[in-house]
Amino acid sequence: MAIVFQKPKALKDTPMHYCPGCTHGIAHRLVAEALDELDIEGKTIGIASVGCSYNSYDYFGCDMIQAPHGRAPAVATGVKRSKPDNVVFTYQGDGDLAAIGTAEIVHAAARGEKITVIFINNTIYGMTSGQMAPTTLLNQYSTTTPYGRIADQHGFPINVCEMLATLEGPAYIERVSLHDVKHIKKAKQAVKKAFKVQIANKGFSLVELLSTCPTNWGLSPVESLKRVEDDMIPHYPLGVFKGKDLEV
Amino acid sequence: MAIVFQKPKALKDTPMHYCPGCTHGIAHRLVAEALDELDIEGKTIGIASVGCSYNSYDYFGCDMIQAPHGRAPAVATGVKRSKPDNVVFTYQGDGDLAAIGTAEIVHAAARGEKITVIFINNTIYGMTSGQMAPTTLLNQYSTTTPYGRIADQHGFPINVCEMLATLEGPAYIERVSLHDVKHIKKAKQAVKKAFKVQIANKGFSLVELLSTCPTNWGLSPVESLKRVEDDMIPHYPLGVFKGKDLEV
Amino acid sequence: MVHEVILAGFGGQGILSAGRLLAEAGMLDGNHVSWLPSYGPEMRGGTANCNVVVSKTPVDSPVLNSCNELVIMNKPSLDKFETMVEKGGIVIIDSSIVDRDVKRDDINSFLIPATNIASEMGNMAFANIILLGKLIKERQTVSVENFEKALYAVLSERKHHLIPQEMEALKIGMDYK
Amino acid sequence: MVHEVILAGFGGQGILSAGRLLAEAGMLDGNHVSWLPSYGPEMRGGTANCNVVVSKTPVDSPVLNSCNELVIMNKPSLDKFETMVEKGGIVIIDSSIVDRDVKRDDINSFLIPATNIASEMGNMAFANIILLGKLIKERQTVSVENFEKALYAVLSERKHHLIPQEMEALKIGMDYK
Amino acid sequence: MGQKLLMKGNEAIAEAAIRAGCLHYFGYPITPQTEISHYMAKKLPKVGGVFLQAESEVAAINMVYGSGSTGTRVMTSSSSPGISLKQEGLSYIAGSQIPAVVVNIVRSGPGLGGIQPAQSDYFQSCKGGGHGDYRQIVLAPSSVQELYELTVEAFNLADRYRMVAMIMGDGNLGQMMEVVEFRNEEPIEHYDKQWATVGHENSREQNVVTSIHLNPAVLEKMNLDLQEKYRVIKEKECRYEIYNQDADIFIVAYGIVARIAKSVIEMAKDKGINVGLLRPITLWPFPDQAFDQVIDKAKAFLTVEMSSGQMLEDVKLALNGRKPVYFHGRMGGMVPARDDIMKEIRNIYNLHVKND
Amino acid sequence: MGQKLLMKGNEAIAEAAIRAGCLHYFGYPITPQTEISHYMAKKLPKVGGVFLQAESEVAAINMVYGSGSTGTRVMTSSSSPGISLKQEGLSYIAGSQIPAVVVNIVRSGPGLGGIQPAQSDYFQSCKGGGHGDYRQIVLAPSSVQELYELTVEAFNLADRYRMVAMIMGDGNLGQMMEVVEFRNEEPIEHYDKQWATVGHENSREQNVVTSIHLNPAVLEKMNLDLQEKYRVIKEKECRYEIYNQDADIFIVAYGIVARIAKSVIEMAKDKGINVGLLRPITLWPFPDQAFDQVIDKAKAFLTVEMSSGQMLEDVKLALNGRKPVYFHGRMGGMVPARDDIMKEIRNIYNLHVKND
Amino acid sequence: MAKVTFISEKCKGCELCVNVCPKHIIAMNKQNLNEKGYHPAYVTDMDKCIGCAFCATICPDCVIIVEK
Amino acid sequence: MAKVTFISEKCKGCELCVNVCPKHIIAMNKQNLNEKGYHPAYVTDMDKCIGCAFCATICPDCVIIVEK
Ligand SMILES: Cc1ncc(C[n+]2csc(CCOP(=O)(O)OP(=O)(O)O)c2C)c(N)n1
Ligand SMILES: Cc1ncc(C[n+]2csc(CCOP(=O)(O)OP(=O)(O)O)c2C)c(N)n1
Ligand code: SF4
Ligand code: SF4
Ligand code: SF4
Ligand code: SF4
Ligand code: SF4
Ligand code: SF4
Ligand SMILES: [Mg+2]
Ligand SMILES: [Mg+2]
């Protein structure tokens, strides 16, 4: 008998602090699998952001930098411009990337910065206990939309992939989901492709992963996956927004 | 004989400090004409930004606030949320709006903030002596792209209207040009419509005006207008990006 | 006397609200009170604790470096807080979860299988109340009467129907030998 | 002696580069020099000026609150700077543009229609050099020899062919009575 | 006094603001002050107010700037890293003389640091974390009751002087619950904000809110006006508490540390050491005069802070070498313990009091 | 020494940086320091370096953080409002112990203020404009030659202590031209940056650059380490110039103001008044010991600044009441005039020296 | 033939694996609490396991090793 | 019949009006310098003016008043 599935090497043994059933853990594994399969852990520099994954360097085995809230793409730019032969990725939540870090992600994308962005969209600020994120759906409850998100007061959710796809800089943008095995497998390919795009020097790559936050959604982990499928995907359609035909 | 053309009332008598032939002056006049024609100067609060127009309050007659670089949409939000019955507009350059102020404009737009944004795209930082702006065209020379803007180093120009049009918040987005009389007349209608959209409480409105900077382009004013037509419009196509069918 | 209470356990066991109830009841008793929770993301899945002070005089320091009353709902917390109890102090331990007694002999300890009892009552969430029962019995930290009022004040209305059972749990704790 | 020079006029008249040339030549003369321009957007269309110090000893203050040599190329600048000239100082004025002489009698002034002369020479841009000629003649601020070298150092190569004419302009200024 | 409630510090701030007539709040979430936002998000829509979660702290402070420019009572709150991001905005608000209340529930730094309590933003708040010569009134409550009272006061001060009044608490103060006794009516001061940009309605001159003055003489004049205002505030608005005025040794401490200090005073009394407390309530203006009141009898001062010694400099400046100053500080979220402070007191006692 | 050139201050900084081995520059335009960017944009691509105009000052400082984390010599430059925006980033860099050189060519504030020279960011730079207990080395050149030399030095200091070394000039210093004499070779110090995040190549442990430590004990330890580093720097790296050591009155001034002060010393000498200059070159660490060297003979000190009196506090702290301290300041872009300073000197002379 | 191994100490009891197993052979061990305080998942009937690794794929905490 | 009036003191000599006038009746006054130091624009032959206001529309500095 051979091992057909186990923890990837690029993921350390340290147990993760994420809540039970939180798909941050799956996203971590997919990134680590890509590092393993492309054999790039040794030359990769990851940028952790501010959010529940603030300490993802405790889990990823590669060299890592903890960036200020929202600034991971700028930090990554500084790294990549100084060490163009390294592989550089950011791991960012939706509050981090789509709120405070809007300017940094838009401009890293517009510059076609040769970095890979792993974007965890869980429609909420997980770390700070469930405030509205820019991606929070209309009518969704959060600690700062206690009566539900109302467009007139809180604005509309932002579709990051669609917005960034209007720029010339990005080589590859895809939205995937972590809500079931089939989609996780697709997500894995997307994450891996994003790294390959970088290695091939094609430009900026970003993968948005629809993710859960059982704790702040007030749902069980299983119910949470269902919410991704039922509520999130209709508003955040899956697919490739840039670089469909890009071969790497 | 009747007067068929003169300085609008909402523009003060103070001579403007703009360089000879700079179309900032035309843009000012169009805004003032809108305030006059809609008779709203008395209830309008304008937000000046940081750029050559930092002191546009010396020219506009309405109440005004000078905002930090890039933050005019946030300042405008603060004003409008406090005084929803007033008319609020920002007047921003391309460095201000599309570089440092990216997060603020994206989120004001995404929130559908009921403000009007007058966006002067002259593909350069005028005030600080001609550095590259996010809208600087490829190959364009500037003091920070002394060998021309090269995509690989400096990234690609950003098309703001196209990017913001992916959001649900904006009710009206149009790009116009100031390079000849015909287009100035069109621009006037767009500016006026943008204010009407606000007055009708329809949501966020933005007009991008393709503008000149003879001083930092190193061209005469007349040559500058030609550059808008020949070089800028092909990259920044004119038209309505949002709210085509919106009647106000 | 000044009651300096630390309550500690896993997140989700109702540690913070137990402390909150003590503070509320203490206030109703006419005492000065403070309640200071541990906070932040480390609570998630990890441990939670809070400091409660109930005092006849104004509370100088809501931050406790030592205490005289300790309520413990998991083992790591016992390891961490046992040394902070002042001589003569008291420790109430949920023995369904914690498999040891205190190691010191200058403090009093009471082991109650609160989670098991609560389980038998049909609601694990009463474990904290059972432990409080013992505390109140031994130390008169707050009055039973105002504890009941505190329940009404603190719990949201849709949980008020549970209060009689909570008071029963309190009694069980008080009577536990 | 310490030459404390202010040069002032409209933006575009070559005020800043005139000052720059003085500083460069002063350096070549073996003196300590400093050049401080007015800067920022107010220059645009508005006025430009600079402070130049040429001194045998290190320059203490590159910021001039007073001067002993003043070169003026528009009226607002004369109004603004006339009072800053120390007693016994000298003012060189482009009288093609400025329609008045200084109001003080404790300083020396020289009126030269520099812009007109330059215009006749076929290049308005020489006006500043003509004025410098007079300054150098009267005050030996810098040597003529090193002024020429300064031109080569400061001007971009594609303007080097103009230098003989510039030196001619300088001479005209020096010789102007 | 009116209703008595057991309340979290953060909630008391929010409730106080609403009672003070602040119906506009712009903020961005950050631990340990998020409850302010949550409270505001719940309550403001019910009283016709506006709660808006900004896209960032930078945006939030600029929304405050805009709202304040219209004469609206407005507040934002954050914690250390977020307050750092607001520095440009705070400098603008100072330069434009706009009233605003800003809350900093300080956490430990530098950088992302930790979320536990600290007092290490004293320099930033009191000396000027932003650029230029400006000040902000900094109030340092030490109980939930005082959080409430000083928040109400902050709005009056902000309006009175057209500037930022900052509430500086720490993580513990924000998170803890104590009993608050609310007034039946708040002492709200009303000012005629003729400078506000609310539309001139063709009936007055244009109002302009700005901080730019390219002419140095004009900008210097603006700065001199600011300095004069600051002088007046320093003269009139210093607040402090002196406890045990005749003590031999004074602990100087603010916020929650001052309360711990009080318990040390009791401990010391038991040991026959006469210790007092000098508690600045306004950190800026710093109450220099408080020191003059006790200096004759006092032999030495012990500054205790949750920092490496920031207020310490102001204590030294106030004393100007007249009496020795000692320091005890904890960092990183650690809270000074009474026993440790007591140890310092004993040392100081041995050095300066015992054989006197 | 080598080549002599007449050069703008801003250009001298840029040239110095390149000579010091800094081939990476990230910045955002702002007057009066834009020439640094222009110079870098022209030169860096030719020497295999990277000039990148960031989307904002916030982005720029974070690019610096990233670049510095890889052990690369890196610089950014800005002016006051832009530096305010960098405060969060600066605090992170301090907490993560990353070397970086930051230039602040100070303009007048607060707010948008003006673009003329000022020294009103002293507090921000020297006390900590960002949150938390941290410091940065602050160098204050007073000539273009010194801008060059101290910029080179700044890179060595930044690397040696793994922290920010800031060059603090003012608008005039950045804009003016003076003769610079360049060395043929720069004294570049080389450090083995084993902590750098450059990929572990499967041959060493993971490197992590971070400033967050949720455990207060760990975070306190990190802070104590920082404080210890700062203590060493304070001990070893204070730089200052004393001119006319035996003077009766000392002007304390830095940057361009110190030069004006020198001309006052000559004026005073003519009038029989013995005035000296104490010029801090490192503003942090502040050279307290310089005062000890002159205090016996000195009767009084006059601090002169282009601010409302910020360094003044450090002067007072250094003197601790031992000698009287006076202040003369200009704001808003106004530069102190020799005559005005001379007037102050005369008053001080009459009060403290004449009848002595 | 297939085998799955649960590193129970890492399990957080989220039940995602239970939900995806096509053979319905994963359950939560309500008898046991691991160090973290969770009831860990376990396999009720290993023989039925087809080694599809669905469970491991969805497990956020890399609790499960699959062999085939 | 139409008439244009130039407020010459405001003119910056940018020549945009010269360029758009369909009647080619605007020129720069090279003889004159206004207070700002510019050669102002003027109409060479008012009779030809058709009052189209193109000049005024493109003038960035509101120098021109048009009557008809
Ligand atoms: C400047 C700054 N502002 C705010 C915070 C507080 N903060 C920490 S995490 C977070 C939101 C994280 O949300 P998201 O990026 O969606 O990540 P998630 O926790 O959901 O994975 C915020 C606002 C901070 N640390 N720094
Ligand atoms: C925080 C901050 N950064 C930088 C500046 C300097 N600055 C002033 S104007 C400007 C660019 C303006 O360009 P743009 O918005 O395109 O306006 P334009 O001058 O072209 O009309 C910059 C960078 C500033 N004032 N504040
Ligand atoms: S709070 Fe939400 S996002 Fe964060 S670890 Fe828990 S479930 Fe995941
Ligand atoms: S610099 Fe350019 S944008 Fe600014 S006023 Fe001059 S021409 Fe217009
Ligand atoms: S490998 Fe497949 S069949 Fe086996 S336990 Fe896992 S999910 Fe069930
Ligand atoms: S998915 Fe993983 S963590 Fe969740 S119950 Fe199954 S084994 Fe445990
Ligand atoms: S109104 Fe028309 S025709 Fe008359 S001058 Fe102007 S552009 Fe020419
Ligand atoms: S367009 Fe206006 S400013 Fe330009 S030349 Fe004509 S009148 Fe003068
Ligand atoms: Mg999130
Ligand atoms: Mg521009």
Side-chain angles (χ1 to χ4, degrees), chain E residues 283-298:
Chain E
L283 300 182
W284 193 91
F286 191 74
D288 294 337
Q289 64 269 47
F291 292 83
D292 299 337
Q293 285 183 38
V294 302
I295 197 146
D296 291 336
K297 174 113 203 296

Side-chain angles (χ1 to χ4, degrees), chain A residues 45 63 65 78-79 82-83, chain F residues 21-24 63-74 97-100 155 158-159 162 189-199 207 209:
Chain A
I45 303 161
D63 276 6
I65 303 171
V79 172
S82 306
K83 301 286 166 194
Chain F
C22 166
L23 300 186
H24 290 76
M63 290 173 185
V64 164
Y65 175 49
S67 177
S69 294
T70 67
T72 305
R73 282 201 158 182
V74 61
Q97 305 209 52
I98 297 303
F155 282 95
D159 274 359
R162 295 179 55 184
E189 297 173 9
H190 293 277
Y191 294 89
D192 188 12
K193 298 177 176 174
Q194 301 207 340
W195 47 265
T197 48
V198 291
N207 278 345
V209 169

Side-chain angles (χ1 to χ4, degrees), chain F residues 75-89:
Chain F
M75 180 166 99
T76 187
S77 62
S78 188
S79 178
S80 310
I83 298 287
S84 288
L85 287 170
K86 293 183 198 281
Q87 292 305 322
E88 189 203 21

Side-chain angles (χ1 to χ4, degrees), chain E residues 144-194:
Chain E
V144 177
Q145 179 72 28
E146 221 178 27
L147 274 178
Y148 151 57
E149 287 169 14
L150 289 179
T151 299
V152 173
E153 179 77 2
F155 282 95
N156 286 337
L157 288 167
D159 274 359
R160 196 181 310 152
Y161 295 107
R162 295 179 53 184
M163 64 191 290
V164 165
M166 177 178 271
I167 301 286
M168 193 152 104
D170 66 74
N172 279 351
L173 214 44
Q175 292 297 324
M176 71 194 237
M177 279 187 156
E178 285 189 315
V179 178
V180 197
E181 191 168 355
F182 289 102
R183 297 186 195 91
N184 288 324
E185 202 177 325
E186 302 301 336
I188 299 178
E189 297 173 10
H190 293 277
Y191 294 90
D192 188 12
K193 299 177 176 175
Q194 300 207 339

Side-chain angles (χ1 to χ4, degrees), chain B residues 88-114:
Chain B
V88 181
F89 77 93
T90 71
Y91 186 100
Q92 306 179 255
D94 46 349
D96 191 81
L97 179 143
I100 191 170
T102 307
E104 286 74 12
I105 195 66
V106 165
H107 285 273
R111 282 193 305 267
E113 214 57 66
K114 292 169 190 70

